[in-house]
Amino acid sequence: LGSSMESANTASAAASVLDAVVARLDAQEPFVELYLDATVAPESLIKDLSTARVASARQLRVWLEGGEFADVAVLAQLLQHCYEALRRATAELGLPKAEDVCVLPNFSQRRGSACQLRGAKFDFVVLGGTFDRLHDGHKVLLTVAAAVATEGMALGVSGDPLLTEKKGAALLQPWGLRARTAAEFLALARPELSVRIEELADAFGPSLRPDMSALVVSSETEAGGHSVNERRVSMNLKQVEVVVVPLVYGCGTSDKVSSTSARQQEACTDAFNSCWLTLGFTGRAAERWFRALQALMRCSFQTVDQDWGQRAADLSAAASALQREKNTTLASELDVHRLAAKCFARCIELAWPAIESELHVPNKDQLREQMAGLVAAMSADLCITASFERLVDDELAKAHTQHDQRSRL
C-alpha cells in the first residue's frame, strides 16, 4: 500500500502539469488585434508585446503606429525583436506558439497614424522564395519588401518542378497555397500596393524584368542577389539594388526560423496524432490528455534543440507497430491497458521536455519515476474512464424518459 501511495503521489505531480496546461489553453483568446505606439523606445514596445493577454492569443495581429525608421535595417531589427519577444513570452507562459502572428507597421495613409521609413525607396521591388508554411522570417522579409516599394512588387514563388530535389519535397505545401498565403499577407501589410505573383521556374524569374529596381533577399541568399545582377549586366539591363534582411532565430534555440523545422514539427504532430488515435479513445478524459500533451509537445518545439524529423520518423514507426499488434491480436487476448501504456509512453516522450521544465525536479531518478507514473496514470485513467463512459452511454440509450435516465444513471 505504501509503495502504491508513493507511486500515486509521483504521478500526481506530473499530472498536475497537464491540468495547468488545459486551464491555460481554455483561457486563451481566439483572436487579438492590437495597436501599439511605435514612437516609444523599442524596450517599451517589447514590454507591451509581452503582456499575458497578447502572448496567449491563438491568433494575433499587432499594428505599429506612427513609428519612424531610419532605414530598412532598423525596421527589420525591430520586427525581429517583436516576433522573438512574442515567441519568448508565449514559451514563458507554458503555451505553444500561436497559430498565426503578424506584426505590421502601418504604412497606409488611410488608416490611423502612419509609419515613416527613411532611406532609399524603389518604384518596383522583386523578391522570391518557396514561402512554405509562412513563418516569422518570411513575414519580416515580405514586410520590408512592401515598405521599400512605392508602386508595385513582383513576388516569385518557387514552382513545384523547381523543388523536386529539395529536402522534404514531399511535405511541401502546393504552389497555390504557398502563393496565396504570401499574397494575403502582403495585402494586409500594404493593401494599396500592386502585387504580381509569378511561379518561379528558375533562379531568376521576375528579377530579370527591366522595370525592377530593387531585389530583397535574406542574409542567407545574398549571393543570389549578386548572381541576378551579373545576369542583368549580361542582358544590358540596369543592376538592381540588393536589400539584405537578417535572419530570424527561434526562441531559446540556435536555429534560424525555417520552413524545414516547421515541416519536421508538423510531421511530429501528425505522428503524435496517429499514435494517439491507434487506441481509439474518445470522451472527456481522452480529450483532456490529448490537448495537454499535444500543447506541451508544441512547447518543446520552441525551446528544445532536437532532430524533430527523426523523432517524427521514430514515432510513426512506433504507431505502425502498435496498430499491427492491435490488428493481429485476438480481442479476448488484447491487453488494452498494456498497449495504452506503450502508446502513451511514446506520446509523453515528445512532450516531456516541456513537462520537465515545469516540474523543477533536479533529481533525474525522480524525473524518470514521474514519467513512469504519468504513463501509468494516463493508461489507467483512460481505460477506466472510457469503459465507464461507454457503460453510461449504453444505459442512457435504453432509457425512454428523464426519470428512467436518472434511475439507470
Side-chain angles (χ1 to χ4, degrees), residues 222-240:
E222 185 176 358
H226 300 310
S227 298
V228 166
N229 274 330
E230 289 175 1
R231 177 64 67 90
R232 287 179 70 93
V233 168
S234 71
M235 298 170 63
N236 295 320
L237 296 174
K238 183 180 178 180
Q239 294 189 45
V240 293

Side-chain angles (χ1 to χ4, degrees), residues 349-369:
E349 283 176 8
L350 291 180
W352 190 251
I355 299 175
E356 185 178 343
S357 69
E358 296 205 21
L359 288 172
H360 308 295
V361 178
N363 188 309
K364 293 296 182 185
D365 289 334
Q366 284 183 292
L367 281 173
R368 280 193 288 272
E369 286 179 11

Side-chain angles (χ1 to χ4, degrees), residues 22-76:
V22 171
R24 292 197 295 266
L25 292 174
D26 289 340
Q28 282 187 295
E29 291 191 55
F31 177 78
V32 172
E33 187 165 28
L34 195 66
Y35 296 84
L36 295 181
D37 182 3
T39 63
V40 301
E43 296 79 12
S44 298
L45 184 63
I46 297 301
K47 185 177 180 180
D48 290 339
L49 276 176
S50 301
T51 62
R53 176 175 179 265
V54 175
S56 64
R58 290 193 185 95
Q59 293 185 318
L60 176 65
R61 186 178 300 165
V62 178
W63 292 101
L64 305 181
E65 300 278 316
E68 186 171 315
F69 309 105
D71 53 36
V72 294
V74 173
L75 172 60

Side-chain angles (χ1 to χ4, degrees), residues 119-132:
K121 302 283 183 56
F122 310 94
D123 293 343
F124 293 97
V125 174
V126 61
L127 75 159
T130 306
F131 299 107
D132 182 50

Side-chain angles (χ1 to χ4, degrees), residues 206-260:
S207 66
L208 301 181
R209 283 171 44 185
D211 56 342
M212 293 297 117
S213 49
L215 169 66
V216 176
V217 297
S218 70
S219 55
E220 191 178 42
T221 58
E222 185 176 358
H226 300 310
S227 298
V228 166
N229 274 330
E230 289 175 1
R231 177 64 67 90
R232 287 179 70 93
V233 168
S234 71
M235 298 170 63
N236 295 320
L237 296 174
K238 183 180 178 180
Q239 294 189 45
V240 293
E241 185 76 21
V242 179
V243 180
V244 182
V245 178
L247 296 172
V248 177
Y249 286 85
C251 171
T253 74
S254 58
D255 294 334
K256 67 182 178 70
V257 175
S258 71
S259 297
T260 300

